[in-house]
Amino acid sequence: MLFRSTEDGEFRIRTWPNWGGISSHAIDRDGTVWLARPSESLLSQLKPSGEVCDIPFYRAYTVHPRSPTGVYVIPVDVDAVMYGDASGNFQTRTVDGAPEGLAEDAAGNLWITAFVQNALVVISASGQQRSFKLPTPRALARTVTIGPDGAVWLLGARPPSAYRFQPPPDIPH
């Protein structure tokens, strides 16, 4: 099912065929809803027109909106982040250490938690990659977000902690 709220605050429900497990979803600026379906190795698009498209995609697990349009995808058990658009054209960036969380800042830099590497990885808009080790061993950081001041925030599970990282001046933000 896909839920939508009307202007008067009521929910509308759209029922879909049995798709198995949907692990995450994202909505891009075009209004396309993207669904990660790892058990079927598909990435599904629900377009604003109502059209449904399936893109074969090996074990897509997490999807995030991409600026200006399209999505970032983190597959299960692959040291990579993939990015592409509604046409199904995707490119790959290798990210060692089990990428999990992902956020794009205003400058187009991609910030990724590298779970096994215990690090925060940044891929600049120009494609350069840098890694910053977390100060706590085995922090288990899985999520990342960008604050309004450009600082990068991560949540770690061991011990439960929030990390605030101010990007160095040589990384545009």
mmCIF file of all heavy atoms in Angstrom, residues 30 59 69 97 149 153:
data_model
loop_
_atom_site.group_PDB
_atom_site.id
_atom_site.type_symbol
_atom_site.label_atom_id
_atom_site.label_comp_id
_atom_site.label_asym_id
_atom_site.label_seq_id
_atom_site.Cartn_x
_atom_site.Cartn_y
_atom_site.Cartn_z
ATOM 1 N N ASP A 30 11.275 15.276 -8.500
ATOM 2 C CA ASP A 30 10.270 15.156 -9.552
ATOM 3 C C ASP A 30 8.961 14.577 -9.016
ATOM 4 O O ASP A 30 7.973 14.520 -9.724
ATOM 5 C CB ASP A 30 10.762 14.239 -10.672
ATOM 6 C CG ASP A 30 11.899 14.839 -11.471
ATOM 7 O OD1 ASP A 30 12.099 16.070 -11.372
ATOM 8 O OD2 ASP A 30 12.573 14.092 -12.179
ATOM 9 N N ARG A 59 19.976 -6.447 -5.118
ATOM 10 C CA ARG A 59 19.818 -6.260 -3.675
ATOM 11 C C ARG A 59 19.901 -4.808 -3.216
ATOM 12 O O ARG A 59 20.566 -4.485 -2.241
ATOM 13 C CB ARG A 59 20.795 -7.148 -2.938
ATOM 14 C CG ARG A 59 20.547 -8.620 -3.321
ATOM 15 C CD ARG A 59 21.202 -9.599 -2.470
ATOM 16 N NE ARG A 59 20.695 -9.518 -1.115
ATOM 17 C CZ ARG A 59 21.303 -10.090 -0.092
ATOM 18 N NH1 ARG A 59 22.390 -10.762 -0.278
ATOM 19 N NH2 ARG A 59 20.821 -9.981 1.114
ATOM 20 N N THR A 69 17.755 15.427 -9.110
ATOM 21 C CA THR A 69 16.739 14.389 -9.259
ATOM 22 C C THR A 69 17.419 13.019 -9.265
ATOM 23 O O THR A 69 18.624 12.918 -9.441
ATOM 24 C CB THR A 69 15.906 14.606 -10.543
ATOM 25 O OG1 THR A 69 14.839 13.652 -10.562
ATOM 26 C CG2 THR A 69 16.739 14.446 -11.789
ATOM 27 N N GLY A 97 34.246 -0.560 3.671
ATOM 28 C CA GLY A 97 33.846 -0.579 5.071
ATOM 29 C C GLY A 97 32.361 -0.625 5.317
ATOM 30 O O GLY A 97 31.895 -0.141 6.344
ATOM 31 N N ASP A 149 23.842 24.328 9.690
ATOM 32 C CA ASP A 149 25.117 25.050 9.645
ATOM 33 C C ASP A 149 26.177 24.325 8.826
ATOM 34 O O ASP A 149 27.323 24.738 8.771
ATOM 35 C CB ASP A 149 25.633 25.287 11.058
ATOM 36 C CG ASP A 149 25.896 23.982 11.817
ATOM 37 O OD1 ASP A 149 25.540 22.899 11.303
ATOM 38 O OD2 ASP A 149 26.459 24.052 12.919
ATOM 39 N N TRP A 153 26.204 15.219 11.269
ATOM 40 C CA TRP A 153 25.820 14.534 12.501
ATOM 41 C C TRP A 153 25.683 13.040 12.236
ATOM 42 O O TRP A 153 25.119 12.637 11.229
ATOM 43 C CB TRP A 153 24.491 15.071 13.012
ATOM 44 C CG TRP A 153 24.583 16.453 13.559
ATOM 45 C CD1 TRP A 153 24.550 17.618 12.851
ATOM 46 C CD2 TRP A 153 24.730 16.809 14.925
ATOM 47 N NE1 TRP A 153 24.665 18.682 13.707
ATOM 48 C CE2 TRP A 153 24.775 18.223 14.989
ATOM 49 C CE3 TRP A 153 24.835 16.088 16.114
ATOM 50 C CZ2 TRP A 153 24.907 18.919 16.178
ATOM 51 C CZ3 TRP A 153 24.964 16.785 17.302
ATOM 52 C CH2 TRP A 153 25.006 18.169 17.339
#
